Amino acid sequence: MRKNISVKIIAFFLFACNSFAQNKEIDSLLTCLKTEKDDTNKVWTYYNISNAFEAIGSNDTSILYANEAKKLAEKIKFDKGLGLAYFNIGAAYGNKDNYPDALQNYFLALKIYEKIDFKKGMANVYTCLGNIYRRQEKYHEAREKYYL
């Protein structure tokens, strides 16, 4: 019985520490955002904020910051940043079980990644597409994406 309680206490503290660290990261990134110019660094900051919010399950906020990255990337013609923004939007929608929007954004990211020949990005998209199809029990489509 004591061992079971100890495991629960340790798990609680690990979760609490991770959440605290994630909030510190978000606070730090938000501070950086205030002083950055509208350039690729700011797109990366928006992207990292989006990732941090997705990691703690704040998918709506993740989408909000990914959309900011998308707008700025379009404005400054930063294709990789635009692809990453679409990817994050797709991931957040996938987490929310909004599969049509997730697929739409993943395919937009894939199109950009193919244009700039970003192979790692393409591989990540194919894996995520496979995951979305698997969650929908579309196993044939999932297998096609997993084994390209």
Side-chain angles (χ1 to χ4, degrees):
M1 182 67 174
R2 284 180 182 237
K3 186 176 184 179
N4 191 19
I5 292 172
S6 297
V7 170
K8 288 180 182 178
I9 290 171
I10 290 170
F12 170 78
F13 282 111
L14 287 174
F15 177 77
C17 290
N18 185 40
S19 179
F20 176 72
Q22 203 69 42
N23 288 335
K24 281 183 69 174
E25 177 187 2
I26 291 169
D27 290 343
S28 176
L29 289 166
L30 289 170
T31 300
C32 288
L33 196 58
K34 294 175 186 175
T35 60
E36 288 183 330
K37 299 174 191 164
D38 284 356
D39 60 11
T40 59
N41 287 330
K42 193 168 191 175
V43 174
W44 280 108
T45 302
Y46 279 131
Y47 168 77
N48 287 324
I49 293 169
S50 174
N51 275 341
F53 277 112
E54 187 210 352
I56 59 172
S58 296
N59 293 301
D60 290 329
T61 308
S62 175
I63 292 168
L64 182 120
Y65 282 99
N67 275 318
E68 291 300 316
K70 182 180 83 161
K71 282 191 269 186
L72 182 55
E74 287 172 334
K75 177 181 170 184
I76 65 172
K77 298 179 181 7
F78 178 36
D79 287 339
K80 187 172 185 178
L82 184 58
L84 292 167
Y86 279 124
F87 183 85
N88 272 17
I89 294 167
Y93 278 126
N95 291 340
K96 294 171 55 133
D97 298 332
N98 182 340
Y99 301 132
D101 286 340
L103 290 170
Q104 178 184 8
N105 282 281
Y106 281 140
F107 280 116
L108 288 168
L110 182 60
K111 184 177 178 180
I112 294 165
Y113 291 164
E114 288 172 342
K115 175 183 161 189
I116 63 172
D117 198 33
F118 180 39
K119 293 187 184 337
K120 182 179 177 183
M122 288 186 268
N124 287 338
V125 170
Y126 284 125
T127 299
C128 291
L129 289 170
N131 291 341
I132 295 293
Y133 288 129
R134 182 182 45 79
R135 288 187 213 158
Q136 295 176 303
E137 298 180 0
K138 295 179 179 178
Y139 300 116
H140 179 75
E141 290 92 337
R143 196 175 84 216
E144 286 177 352
K145 299 305 177 195
Y146 287 140
Y147 295 108
L148 281 176

